[in-house]
Amino acid sequence: VKRIEAIVRPDALRAVLASLKAVGYPGVTVLEAEGHGTQKGETEAYRSQSVDCLLPKLIVSMVVEDNLLEKAIDTIVKAARKGEIGDGKIFIYPVDDVIRIRTGDRGRAAL
Ligand SMILES: Nc1ncnc2c1ncn2[C@@H]1O[C@H](COP(=O)(O)OP(=O)(O)OP(=O)(O)O)[C@@H](O)[C@H]1O
Ligand SMILES: [Mg+2]
């Protein structure tokens, strides 16, 4: 089981979620964020409402079974890529366990 943390442009969210829906996924969490990558926000700064070169981004966080991982990554990349700097980044983390609070299910059964 892996956690996909995709940091994307806010205006990419709808396309990302729509294309993931076609793939099928158990659940998703979206968080508002500010950040910068290697350009430190400078070349995108004309769009920025924030200080310190931090640009608004959304974090799409999704925990999936390993067999869905590559498909999900591929889908997110295709939906979020404009081919311009600031398109975003995806980090992958191992997930030790999952607990569904309502039932106490553990592991894959809890996804
Ligand atoms: N190494 C990192 N650690 C944590 N967050 C990061 C890192 N790199 C990028 N991010 C986050 O991802 C967002 C988008 O990064 P961005 O796409 O600009 O990466 P990049 O490496 O500069 O690539 P590009 O050259 O395509 O712009 C940043 O605003 C930041 O929130
Ligand atoms: Mg960048």
Side-chain angles (χ1 to χ4, degrees):
V1 177
K2 298 283 194 297
R3 175 174 175 238
I4 300 169
E5 181 189 71
I7 306 173
V8 301
R9 301 179 195 279
D11 63 9
L13 182 69
R14 289 171 71 95
V16 167
L17 290 182
S19 55
L20 281 171
K21 200 171 174 185
V23 173
Y25 63 92
V28 68
T29 304
V30 179
L31 303 97
E32 293 188 0
E34 292 190 327
H36 67 69
T38 50
Q39 294 85 8
K40 312 224 177 296
E42 281 164 14
T43 45
E44 299 177 81
Y46 67 95
R47 289 181 188 160
S48 177
Q49 303 290 317
S50 62
V51 293
D52 299 330
C53 295
L54 295 173
L55 298 172
K57 301 288 174 182
L58 292 178
I59 301 174
V60 180
S61 173
M62 198 168 42
V63 176
V64 299
E65 289 202 46
D66 287 15
N67 62 12
L68 208 76
L69 183 66
E70 290 305 322
K71 182 90 176 160
I73 293 170
D74 195 49
T75 300
I76 294 167
V77 167
K78 280 188 179 132
R81 178 183 283 157
K82 282 169 58 177
E84 295 171 17
I85 60 168
D87 273 355
K89 203 162 279 188
I90 302 176
F91 301 105
I92 307 298
Y93 307 85
V95 173
D96 285 342
D97 207 351
V98 185
I99 297 99
R100 174 175 286 116
I101 291 175
R102 174 175 58 86
T103 57
D105 288 343
R106 300 287 292 250
R108 288 188 181 127
L111 280 179

